[in-house]
Amino acid sequence: SAVISQKPSRDICQRGTSLTIQCQVDSQVTMMFWYRQQPGQSLTLIATANQGSEATYESGFVIDKFPISRPNLTFSTLTVSNMSPEDSSIYLCSTGQGGAYEQYFGPGTRLTVT
Amino acid sequence: QKEVEQNSGPLSVPEGAIASLNCTYSDRGSQSFFWYRQYSGKSPELIMSIYSNGDKEDGRFTAQLNKASQYVSLLIRDSQPSDSATYLCAVNGAGGTSYGKLTFGQGTILTVHP
């Protein structure tokens, strides 16, 4: 499977600021996904990012809060804007590969908002 | 609202026993089913995928799928303390706007005690 890296691995940010998370894949992939995992919870899909098109957001997530870029087939960014303590979560990117779109996850970015 | 439900945990089994993890899903059109293992502080790791009714075995792991009952399970034979983790059931969307998207269950915490 592809090797996926994320930057930063963790950060502590102040309320009202923004953080951009980078996701890099070592091979070209069509579909990339961004998930959020709140403390003690399961994963929730934020949006799907396909190269050459606008990201598709899930219910409850909006572009103004979570703008996404997908400039090429190996890279994507997720920005968490105007952060509040409720945004404290682990943010994960994944790629769809393999049989019937198996997804493989990056190591995650642990965000704490104070 | 597409839902994925897992049996309530936590689940505790002795070393060497069989651990049984269960999952039901609401979207009858779902085609692909996955089990992920997540160690504390780590990202989810894909351990099993299953697409057709019946059993699929991989080492000590067996996934079982029954589409008529909308039920998927994971059996772990000869459980080891290293199997202690949270196990996440995930279901791939049936198509259209759900194509490629995973919906996760809430996870089952498994503890294997020596």
Side-chain angles (χ1 to χ4, degrees):
Chain A
S1 61
V3 176
I4 306 168
S5 60
Q6 285 185 236
K7 290 182 183 180
S9 58
R10 59 178 63 227
D11 207 341
I12 301 173
C13 301
Q14 291 191 342
R15 179 195 302 261
T17 62
S18 298
L19 176 72
T20 296
I21 301 168
Q22 300 178 7
C23 180
Q24 178 77 53
V25 188
D26 70 346
S27 60
Q28 294 183 341
V29 293
T30 303
M31 304 180 80
M32 294 182 75
F33 304 88
W34 286 97
Y35 290 84
R36 180 174 73 182
Q37 187 171 31
Q38 295 179 302
Q41 303 297 313
S42 187
L43 281 74
T44 301
L45 180 63
I46 298 171
T48 302
N50 293 331
Q51 196 267 338
S53 63
E54 296 292 321
T56 304
Y57 289 82
E58 297 301 302
S59 177
F61 298 96
V62 294
I63 186 171
D64 290 346
K65 176 68 175 177
F66 298 101
I68 287 171
S69 76
R70 182 80 199 273
N72 57 54
L73 291 172
T74 64
F75 187 78
S76 179
T77 67
L78 169 75
T79 298
V80 186
S81 303
N82 188 25
M83 288 184 286
S84 67
E86 292 72 34
D87 294 319
S88 297
S89 291
I90 298 172
Y91 291 86
L92 296 141
C93 69
S94 73
T95 66
Q97 310 168 58
Y101 297 96
E102 298 171 345
Q103 287 187 27
Y104 297 88
F105 286 86
T109 296
R110 184 179 296 271
L111 171 62
T112 302
V113 183
T114 62
Chain B
Q1 179 76 13
K2 299 179 177 61
E3 294 183 351
V4 178
E5 299 286 339
Q6 295 185 234
N7 54 319
S8 59
L11 177 65
S12 181
V13 301
E15 184 174 357
I18 296 175
S20 177
L21 306 164
N22 304 315
C23 174
T24 58
Y25 58 95
S26 63
D27 186 355
R28 183 169 290 279
S30 298
Q31 296 294 320
S32 308
F33 308 88
F34 308 96
W35 284 99
Y36 287 83
R37 177 176 63 198
Q38 187 174 27
Y39 292 115
S40 180
K42 301 295 186 182
S43 63
E45 172 192 9
L46 180 64
I47 56 173
M48 288 292 285
S49 56
I50 187 166
Y51 312 113
S52 54
N53 284 328
D55 295 358
K56 178 182 178 181
E57 186 175 317
D58 184 0
R60 296 185 295 111
F61 298 99
T62 299
Q64 299 174 317
L65 175 62
N66 184 326
K67 290 185 179 180
S69 300
Q70 296 175 241
Y71 175 91
V72 58
S73 66
L74 179 71
L75 299 178
I76 306 175
R77 292 183 301 280
D78 187 24
S79 296
Q80 301 297 308
S82 59
D83 295 325
S84 298
T86 297
Y87 289 81
L88 299 163
C89 173
V91 178
N92 206 324
T97 58
S98 297
Y99 185 68
K101 300 178 183 178
L102 289 181
T103 301
F104 282 83
Q106 73 273 32
T108 300
I109 298 172
L110 171 67
T111 301
V112 181
H113 53 88

